[in-house]
Amino acid sequence: MSSALQIVWVYPDLLSTYGDRGNMLILAHRAKLRGIPVDTLEVRSDQALPYGDIYLIGGGEDGPQALAAQRLAADRGLHRAVDRRAVVFAVCAGYQLLGNSFFAKGAKCDGLGLLDLHSDRGPTRAVGELAGDIDPALGLPMLTGFENHGGRTHLGPEVKPLAKVRAGIGNDGATEGAWSGTVIGTYSHGPALSRNPALADLLLRWATGEESLAAPDDTWHTRLRGERLGAVGLV
Amino acid sequence: MTENKLPLRASLAASVSRTAAALSRATGRGDGSVIGGRLGMMIDPDLLAHLAAGRRIALVSGTNGKTTTTRFTAAAVGVLGDVATNSFGANMPTGHTSALARAGATPYAVLEVDEHYLAQVLRATTPLVVALLNLSRDQLDRAKEVAMMAQLWRDALADHPDVHVVANADDPMVVYAAAAHAASGEGKVTWFSAGQRWREDAHVCPACGAHIERDETDADAWRCATGDLARPAPQWTVDESAVIDPEGVRHEVKLQLPGKVNVGNAATALAVAHRFGVSPADAAPKLAEVASVAGRYAQVDRDGRNIRLLLAKNPASWLEAFDMAEEQPTLLSINARDPDGFDTSWLFDVDFAPLRGRQVLITGDRAYDLAVRLQVNDVPFTHVKSFDEAVAAVPPGRLEVIANYTAFQDIRAELDRVV
Ligand SMILES: [Zn+2]
């Protein structure tokens, strides 16, 4: 086993609809800026999930989402990872399949049960800018992202909402995403961390055990955040 | 077909369509193809079918390269006689209607078709040949899933057993779309190979969901891990500068348009024209006359800079643009307006590493999304607020401009609507 930080991108062959690679690239980039050595591993759905410090799960269409959930349930590697408090960051379809159940192609599918939540179909498709105030316990600035999903997610008592919605739909128009321990899910799809570098750093701090990380030059991230939050009237 | 043989209503509709298009152009509201076609179709809903009747028609569809391939094909078929074509990129039925009405009676037509409208246009125009180029992710906030598009194409072809299909053997999605048609009879499909740089949408077999296996020793080979779907043997292939026909004869195509992708587009055009009876030897010199396509690849001289415009709309076409661009100062411009799609996530599907070592400038409505992407990609850049600022920031010589759809149109407008 390498001493470098292991970032595992789960099933890019199934769950990589649009820019999902970005979260892996951003985490690796920000780790290197702090002198933290990194290995990135792209694991296909016909391979066993390896040991990792951070697991990333992306978005996908219904068919691949259901298939990914089946394979992860059979593999059990993600369950073992959560048991040893590895970090999991999942977006959109990847977020839904961490819950107890979700809907794909009109049928209810078993989720992995790693987050206490379930998802069903909403009355409308949620497409557009998403923003919200992140749970103060996480100490992060406002969440900004782009959502594109037809699901609605209902949180159980064992998870906390990642954010309170200020623009867009998220879980149900009131809350967005969920977190528990070192597992975070969000409807902010694709390269969610490009607009939320502080969230990327939180994942890195959890994975490395560092209390704080040196502040990099975030000029462009900051300008991007300002522009996107401005577009929904939140700055 | 001559227009006075059109049914009266169709004749009136065609005339209104042309007049509206001319008015639209005269008032500076665009090239008029959409408004003209829309008005004509309101008067006669079957206008496109009426205008298509009696012409020998080729349709060209796919996510990328269809405008250029349509232009090449029209040039190649033009060896035989007059060709009607929608050269302004208006690729939905209103645009086809307008193009045919505007052209008057021609023996041939070559039409670029938006991939979502292929079934409808097949029905309306009963073409001789349909060319299927590729399918990849594009404008995901509204486009259909790639595998679903392949299924729609496949269903559409099932309704037209007599059409001849010219299809890309390198794209598993296209092969799936055409495979049942190919199996329905001898010689129903002509396969070409033009290489496929972008493969991220073809990991999974559209027929059965198994993995697509790639061969380590043969870069182009692919097959479904468990099912029957596999790369068919192509009859038309390319090398760096030539198209090789089914007899193995090499046709040097001295294209003005850059990049290997355009040699592939040329191969497609020659294969389609061959079905019309045009020999590749006669057609190839016609392709060399094409200098730009609706502003794409156009070169404009300004203030001592030679500015070349490259359009890149989605990850697959960005990869092709990097292959075409010379190692010279490069301006990238990104918007996310309605025609572009509102989601910029795809920027992380593109590896910008080929730009390292070039002077890179960025602009556009969504330049900050691009800035973050380039920073993470270790590509140094400078942000400029306008096209003029970009021109002033580079030394005399070539400036390559790569832009997505509306950003491209903005820059084209700055350069006086260069075609
Ligand atoms: Zn298969």
Side-chain angles (χ1 to χ4, degrees):
Chain A
M1 203 170 296
S2 161
S3 62
L5 188 74
Q6 306 288 310
I7 301 177
V8 178
W9 184 14
V10 179
Y11 299 172
D13 55 325
L14 297 177
L15 299 175
S16 171
T17 323
Y18 228 32
D20 294 280
R21 177 181 297 276
N23 293 326
M24 178 181 75
L25 297 175
I26 290 162
L27 284 171
H29 182 74
R30 297 182 77 78
K32 283 179 195 152
L33 285 177
R34 278 63 172 259
I36 302 167
V38 181
D39 289 333
T40 56
L41 308 165
E42 301 180 24
V43 180
R44 268 175 35 158
S45 59
D46 56 355
Q47 299 169 315
L49 270 199
Y51 176 90
D53 299 299
I54 301 178
Y55 292 82
L56 299 172
I57 314 177
E61 301 290 337
D62 280 16
Q65 180 189 22
L67 189 58
Q70 284 169 20
R71 298 206 175 163
L72 286 169
D75 180 87
R76 301 294 299 174
L78 200 62
H79 295 80
R80 288 193 296 274
V82 171
D83 284 346
R84 60 178 164 75
R85 293 186 65 80
V87 176
V88 179
F89 181 66
V91 308
C92 209
Y95 163 48
Q96 290 183 350
L97 65 78
L98 292 183
N100 297 314
S101 66
F102 61 93
F103 270 79
K105 297 210 162 175
K108 190 174 177 180
C109 304
D110 286 340
L112 301 179
L114 294 171
L115 286 175
D116 180 22
L117 52 85
H118 69 276
S119 304
D120 51 24
R121 288 281 169 211
T124 55
R125 198 165 173 83
V127 184
E129 294 288 324
L130 173 65
D133 296 313
I134 294 186
D135 187 338
L138 294 173
L140 298 174
M142 193 177 283
L143 180 81
T144 163
F146 190 93
E147 64 182 334
N148 182 359
H149 59 98
R152 295 296 183 274
T153 294
H154 312 280
L155 306 186
E158 304 298 315
V159 296
K160 295 191 258 321
L162 177 63
K164 277 188 197 148
V165 171
R166 298 281 299 275
I169 304 288
N171 293 330
D172 57 3
T175 68
E176 143 50 21
W179 73 285
S180 171
T182 52
V183 179
I184 294 181
T186 176
Y187 272 118
S188 177
H189 90 163
L193 300 178
S194 68
R195 298 188 190 187
N196 300 285
L199 177 55
D201 286 354
L202 174 70
L203 302 178
L204 289 174
R205 282 191 279 118
W206 278 351
T208 59
E210 298 284 340
E211 298 252 315
S212 67
L213 297 168
D217 177 358
D218 275 338
T219 304
W220 296 109
H221 286 284
T222 304
R223 286 185 187 174
L224 173 60
R225 285 178 59 78
E227 178 197 281
R228 298 329 301 159
L229 289 169
V232 290
L234 288 174
V235 273
Chain B
M1 182 191 66
T2 60
E3 195 151 286
N4 51 26
K5 287 189 197 147
L6 282 174
L8 182 61
R9 180 171 281 271
S11 176
L12 171 68
S15 161
V16 167
S17 169
R18 270 197 306 277
T19 308
L23 275 173
S24 169
R25 282 193 299 279
T27 53
R29 289 168 199 272
D31 65 63
S33 356
V34 173
I35 181 69
R38 190 171 295 154
L39 276 174
M41 289 173 93
M42 279 167 66
I43 295 169
D44 179 2
D46 295 327
L47 181 56
L48 179 55
H50 283 129
L51 288 168
R55 299 187 217 238
R56 288 156 64 85
I57 294 178
L59 306 182
V60 178
S61 196
T63 307
N64 289 319
K66 54 187 178 289
T67 305
T68 300
T69 304
T70 298
R71 179 64 168 272
F72 278 162
T73 307
V77 173
V79 168
L80 299 173
D82 287 345
V83 180
T85 186
N86 50 340
S87 51
F88 292 91
N91 60 16
M92 296 182 221
T94 48
H96 304 139
T97 302
S98 173
L100 296 184
R102 179 179 356 213
T106 62
Y108 303 99
V110 178
L111 299 175
E112 171 191 338
V113 183
D114 181 282
E115 51 277 27
H116 300 83
Y117 287 86
L118 187 62
Q120 188 182 338
V121 179
L122 269 167
R123 265 196 308 279
T125 64
T126 327
L128 194 66
V129 184
V130 54
L132 305 179
L133 307 184
N134 50 65
L135 286 172
S136 68
R137 61 185 69 182
D138 186 42
Q139 296 185 12
L140 208 79
D141 58 338
R142 68 173 149 241
K144 289 196 162 50
E145 184 187 352
V146 173
M148 196 186 296
M149 276 303 317
Q151 186 65 48
L152 287 176
W153 277 9
R154 189 176 165 102
D155 295 345
L157 292 178
D159 293 336
H160 299 274
D162 294 331
V163 74
H164 186 82
V165 176
V166 171
N168 184 354
D170 294 331
D171 186 331
M173 296 295 156
V174 170
V175 173
Y176 176 68
H181 197 73
S184 72
E186 198 66 30
K188 289 279 184 193
V189 176
T190 301
W191 300 104
F192 67 89
S193 165
Q196 191 189 30
R197 212 176 288 275
W198 173 262
R199 295 176 168 176
E200 300 303 315
D201 291 307
H203 288 300
V204 174
C205 174
C208 72
H211 279 111
I212 297 285
E213 304 287 356
R214 302 262 174 195
D215 193 334
E216 296 295 322
T217 54
D218 178 353
D220 291 325
W222 59 266
R223 65 171 306 113
C224 170
T226 59
D228 295 332
L229 199 71
R231 180 176 184 258
Q235 290 115 305
W236 295 76
T237 58
V238 299
D239 61 24
E240 288 305 318
S241 62
V243 174
I244 297 121
D245 74 18
E247 275 70 53
V249 180
R250 201 169 167 280
H251 302 277
E252 196 75 37
V253 284
K254 298 186 175 62
L255 300 179
Q256 296 184 54
L257 306 192
K260 191 174 177 192
V261 68
N262 280 320
V263 182
N265 291 336
T268 313
L270 294 185
V272 173
H274 192 245
R275 290 298 301 184
F276 283 78
V278 184
S279 79
D282 289 342
K286 298 292 174 191
L287 309 191
E289 291 170 11
V290 176
S292 70
V293 179
R296 294 154 211 206
Y297 318 110
Q299 295 184 43
V300 181
D301 290 312
R302 177 182 280 195
D303 304 334
R305 280 75 169 178
N306 175 250
I307 300 157
R308 180 163 66 172
L309 301 184
L310 300 172
L311 175 69
K313 298 182 294 185
N314 48 45
S317 59
W318 278 87
L319 295 192
E320 300 301 350
F322 295 154
D323 175 58
M324 292 175 199
E326 290 173 18
E327 294 205 27
Q328 297 291 339
T330 303
L331 172 67
L332 310 176
S333 184
I334 300 291
N335 289 349
R337 299 178 199 164
D338 189 62
D340 307 306
F342 297 119
D343 184 4
T344 56
S345 299
W346 58 269
L347 285 168
F348 281 87
D349 287 326
V350 179
D351 182 3
F352 291 84
L355 299 180
R356 285 179 198 147
R358 303 180 202 181
Q359 181 186 359
V360 175
L361 303 153
I362 67 169
T363 194
D365 298 351
R366 299 301 290 269
Y368 294 156
D369 292 79
L370 183 56
V372 168
R373 174 68 190 106
L374 292 176
Q375 192 174 42
V376 171
N377 221 163
D378 298 316
V379 177
F381 61 89
T382 307
H383 178 226
V384 292
K385 294 213 163 52
S386 68
F387 181 69
D388 285 338
E389 200 184 319
V391 174
V394 300
R398 168 65 60 82
L399 170 62
E400 301 279 17
V401 176
I402 310 177
N404 72 342
Y405 191 75
T406 67
F408 183 90
Q409 301 305 342
D410 283 356
I411 290 170
R412 209 177 141 203
E414 294 258 356
L415 296 170
D416 303 322
R417 293 202 71 74
V418 58
V419 293

